[in-house]
Amino acid sequence: MAQSYKSLKEDFVSNLSGGGMSEINWVTAVAPAAVLLWSVLQSRHDFFSHYNPLAFVTDFFLNVAAILFAITVYSSSPVILNSLLISPAVCLYLLPRRSRTRQKRPAQAPSANGRASAHRDQDIRSTLPDRPFITHYRGSMMVVTCLAILAVDFRVFPRRFAKVETWGTSLMDMGVGSFVFSAGLVSARPILKAQGADRRSSVGASLKAAFRHSLPLLALGLIRLYSIKGLDYAEHVSEYGVHWNFFFTLALLPPLVASLQILPTWFASVDMIALLVSCIFQAVLDSTSVTAYILTAPRYSLISQNREGLISIWGYLSIFLAGQAVGLDILPRTGSKLSRSIFGLHMNRPYTVRLVLWSVWYSMLLFLAVSYKALGLQVSRRLANLPYVLWVSAFNCTQLALFSAVEILVFPGLYSPIDKKLEGQRSKHATSQILAAFNRNGLAIFLLANLLTGLVNLATDTLQAGRGRAMATLVAYASILTIVAMIMHWKNIALKM
């Protein structure tokens, strides 16, 4: 890559100040709005039950292309795009439901005092349900993340959506934090399973498993590092550092989380640990020269060259733990022995209500953090400071609340199963195959997206591409990612990284 062109590419994504939080909320609201229309088509008309080419194309346009349009051609008018998705959903919802054969309750032999029925119900309640709204949330998050990493290189993608230099908020800043938050969310599942079986691993065993989980991520980070340096690819040094990248951050999180098991058992509130870590980190930033070191120090050693990635890990740890706390709350069945909530309150409330409470809680803390003048705090993804942690947590809880509200509205009684098999059938019926595919192999698809982004940038001058050529390239790119994800999904391939 010519040096002059490399400099132009680096300048294109540098020294940006971002945009407003409200605009980011409107743009990302397209995802739950698209899922609403998908859900109405499925619940009222069984549109996606027979997954033919028309169903696949419709699924793609709703759950992938709509998000692409939201961050590009509709970026200045996201309200219009949301209206175009919600209006037909409302109309279709009001139409009579398509008649279909009702599933019959399986016959059950009579039992004395209903002991067999009670035992069966207890077995079901002791399991963790598959929640389609979490699949939709994680799948949509992965779609927008993969689309943005290439779209940012084209002028059709607004500069206010690209990562800010130091202070401010943007769509891509939220994408990084959401990736970590969603990882924390699903990390609660094995913890809950172990608690349900009354198992507790030692710190040593947990650390061993964590390091084993980190090795593939470390390998991906090294591959990305050597490919970027070897190809002389444009890079934004102040994002993570000279050698650091997001895969290294992801690789460090599992051992750090596992090491928290050394805390005493009475200190078991994960949400409190998340806030404590973030507050201590913010205090260090405010009371020492760490902030000045990150922002202005010369890059003369390996540590100083990668100071953003090394130091911001504490903020990402807080985000991961915040996601894990929410997962520990909403993944179990309401009222089960594993069910919990924020500070132990509202234990038996519906999970949508609990998600709203989480959203309100983090939104209030965010408001206090950025509006209290004595603190003088601003959101910074580069530092991963306290306001950034609170913003990411509030945003993701709100997104989860929206997806869960759609599910409750369109698929009521989804978690009132006759048996586990029937519940699985109902959950599959209520889940977009494309979003399930992106969710199932998210990290593998993210790696493919990074490779394709590099190929596109090496093969074409993205800065000179007009709107038509840019959109054609992005649609083709989105199609390739979707097809690969779907092939892996249909072939039952799940790469664990």
Side-chain angles (χ1 to χ4, degrees), residues 428-444:
K428 184 177 180 180
H429 178 262
T431 305
S432 159
Q433 287 204 37
I434 284 180
L435 294 183
F438 272 92
N439 173 59
R440 188 177 188 182
N441 284 291
L443 202 54

Side-chain angles (χ1 to χ4, degrees), residues 197-447:
D198 293 324
R199 297 194 312 267
R200 181 177 174 85
S201 301
S202 64
V203 177
S206 297
L207 283 172
K208 183 178 179 180
F211 280 115
R212 187 166 56 246
H213 179 73
S214 295
L215 286 177
L217 294 168
L218 181 62
L220 292 176
L222 291 172
I223 292 172
R224 177 174 170 80
L225 170 62
Y226 286 114
S227 61
I228 288 177
K229 299 299 182 182
L231 296 172
D232 196 27
Y233 191 74
E235 53 186 329
H236 190 191
V237 173
S238 63
E239 185 176 343
Y240 294 108
V242 176
H243 310 100
W244 201 268
N245 59 60
F246 189 51
F247 289 110
F248 291 144
T249 297
L250 293 176
L252 273 183
L253 288 174
L256 288 175
V257 173
S259 65
L260 292 176
Q261 286 191 21
I262 63 175
L263 293 174
T265 55
W266 56 266
F267 205 104
S269 180
V270 181
D271 48 333
M272 289 300 295
I273 297 174
L275 277 178
L276 182 62
V277 171
S278 189
C279 287
I280 292 175
F281 180 53
Q282 184 63 53
V284 171
L285 291 175
D286 291 342
S287 61
T288 67
S289 59
V290 172
T291 298
Y293 172 74
I294 295 174
L295 300 183
T296 63
R299 300 182 185 273
Y300 57 87
S301 65
L302 186 62
I303 292 178
S304 62
Q305 286 177 335
N306 300 284
R307 55 184 183 264
E308 289 91 350
L310 288 169
I311 297 176
S312 66
I313 189 66
W314 299 107
Y316 289 112
L317 174 62
S318 300
I319 293 172
F320 186 93
L321 293 173
Q324 188 178 90
V326 174
L328 291 171
D329 177 26
I330 66 173
L331 289 179
R333 300 180 190 277
T334 301
S336 73
K337 67 177 183 177
L338 297 176
S339 181
R340 66 182 79 183
S341 190
I342 184 169
F343 306 134
L345 302 176
H346 312 291
M347 184 175 295
N348 293 318
R349 299 285 181 92
Y351 57 85
T352 303
V353 175
R354 300 203 299 271
L355 284 168
V356 171
L357 291 173
W358 279 107
S359 177
V360 170
W361 166 246
Y362 281 119
S363 297
M364 289 175 56
L365 292 178
L366 174 63
F367 176 78
L368 291 174
V370 299
S371 62
Y372 187 50
K373 294 183 180 180
L375 294 176
L377 299 180
Q378 300 179 63
V379 175
S380 174
R381 185 265 320 149
R382 184 176 178 183
L383 301 175
N385 61 355
L386 176 62
Y388 179 70
V389 171
L390 297 175
W391 177 47
V392 169
S393 302
F395 173 87
N396 281 274
C397 290
T398 303
Q399 283 279 301
L400 282 163
L402 290 173
F403 281 110
S404 65
V406 169
E407 181 178 281
I408 287 179
L409 174 67
V410 185
F411 296 104
L414 191 63
Y415 305 112
S416 301
I418 297 171
D419 55 30
K420 185 64 177 174
K421 181 179 179 180
L422 179 56
E423 183 184 62
Q425 293 171 352
R426 289 179 176 178
S427 295
K428 184 177 180 180
H429 178 262
T431 305
S432 159
Q433 287 204 37
I434 284 180
L435 294 183
F438 272 92
N439 173 59
R440 188 177 188 182
N441 284 291
L443 202 54
I445 299 302
F446 182 64
L447 175 61

Side-chain angles (χ1 to χ4, degrees), residues 25-45:
N25 293 337
W26 278 111
V27 169
T28 53
V30 167
V35 168
L36 173 63
L37 181 51
W38 182 95
S39 300
V40 171
L41 285 170
Q42 177 70 333
S43 67
R44 297 294 182 183
H45 303 283

